[in-house]
Amino acid sequence: MISMTNIVKRFGDKTVLSDVSFNVEPKEIFGLLGPSGSGKTTIINILTHQLTPEGGEYNIGASPIETGLMLEEDGLYKRLSTTDNLNLFAGIYGVNRNKVQEALESVGLGKEAKTPVSKLSKGMRQRLALARAILHSPKVLFLDEPTGALDPTTGRQIHKLIYNLRDEGTTIFLTTHNMEEAVDLCNHVALLHEGVIVEQGTPTEICEKHNSFKTVPDLGAVFMKMTGVTEV
């Protein structure tokens, strides 16, 4: 469904991605893990045609209209209400506006239908951006740190929503630096460090490969051991 082969990306003299390759199967949750600045967002920007790599190939088995996207910068219209923000995108995607309230309810914003975005907390804006990303029932969904600004309870609600989307047939590509989230959510993960994928597989496979005691998966410990990073 999604693939990258030997991707290289530079900004000036700095190489930010080096020989990046991976495959994402249809209807799975794939996690790209790494600390801030490792190149996670750059990979999403390439896959969504916002950046052009200097080398390699990539492919997405979905058209732009079949793709949902939630980035760190939410791009919401602050003077408009939550409903009016989604109505704008419903018109762009040709989605029945009856689905707008359903999308708000799905991310726990049903009671904020008339609230201007300027009055929302950062976590609420993040949830609204997610509602916008799933409004048109995308075939492929990109999520950049989807629970980064959320409290644990809301984070668990978003996890449940992500599971439901996968079960309905959506292929989900998410970036995170939360190792527990990756273990809970992802079928497969890739560990990215300074623009290089240092390991990939299922969370359990990776942990067993690098842990001679074969204990409960601790992806964070494995990542730190492999890269020398002291905090993820």
Side-chain angles (χ1 to χ4, degrees):
M1 179 60 74
I2 304 171
S3 66
M4 272 192 163
T5 306
N6 307 126
I7 289 292
V8 174
K9 179 61 185 174
R10 301 183 184 91
F11 293 116
D13 295 331
K14 183 179 180 181
T15 299
V16 294
L17 296 176
S18 180
D19 199 30
V20 170
S21 299
F22 58 80
N23 288 289
V24 181
E25 297 297 324
K27 303 178 183 179
E28 79 164 336
I29 302 174
F30 180 89
L32 184 63
L33 285 72
S36 298
S38 60
K40 301 188 303 295
T41 301
T42 300
I43 285 176
I44 283 187
N45 287 340
I46 290 173
L47 288 171
T48 55
H49 311 294
Q50 299 178 75
L51 289 174
T52 302
E54 276 68 53
E57 299 178 349
Y58 65 97
N59 181 65
I60 305 175
S63 66
I65 199 68
E66 296 174 315
T67 302
L69 180 62
M70 175 187 168
L71 293 177
E72 185 176 0
E73 295 295 329
D74 57 48
L76 298 168
Y77 296 97
K78 295 181 180 180
R79 294 184 180 181
L80 298 182
S81 68
T82 61
T83 297
D84 286 341
N85 265 272
L86 294 193
N87 279 338
L88 281 174
F89 285 88
I92 292 171
Y93 288 120
V95 174
N96 192 310
R97 291 191 176 187
N98 292 335
K99 288 198 170 186
V100 167
Q101 185 62 30
E102 180 182 328
L104 289 173
E105 295 283 354
S106 72
V107 297
L109 291 177
K111 295 181 180 180
E112 308 295 338
K114 296 182 179 180
T115 304
V117 169
S118 61
K119 300 293 185 180
L120 299 179
S121 67
K122 183 177 180 180
M124 286 180 173
R125 292 198 303 272
Q126 193 166 356
R127 282 186 274 159
L128 180 60
L130 178 57
R132 183 186 61 195
I134 65 174
L135 183 62
H136 59 303
S137 302
K139 189 175 180 180
V140 174
L141 178 61
F142 290 96
L143 302 175
D144 195 3
E145 303 284 355
T147 60
L150 303 180
D151 62 84
T153 298
T154 304
R156 287 191 292 270
Q157 294 172 348
I158 297 303
H159 284 184
K160 184 177 179 180
L161 175 59
I162 291 172
Y163 279 130
N164 290 339
L165 289 167
R166 180 200 60 188
D167 292 343
E168 292 169 2
T170 302
T171 301
I172 299 169
F173 184 106
L174 67 88
T175 71
T176 182
H177 61 267
N178 185 328
M179 300 297 173
E180 292 182 5
E181 178 172 72
V183 171
D184 289 342
L185 284 178
C186 299
N187 303 101
H188 292 89
V189 298
L191 308 184
L192 187 69
H193 178 58
E194 296 183 350
V196 177
I197 290 182
V198 295
E199 190 60 274
Q200 55 184 309
T202 70
T204 300
E205 287 171 350
I206 293 173
C207 292
E208 289 184 349
K209 178 178 177 181
H210 296 275
N211 183 350
S212 59
F213 296 102
K214 314 293 186 186
T215 55
V216 176
D218 186 345
L219 215 52
V222 169
F223 189 89
M224 292 175 191
K225 178 181 177 182
M226 293 180 68
T227 63
V229 172
T230 58
E231 183 178 356
V232 179

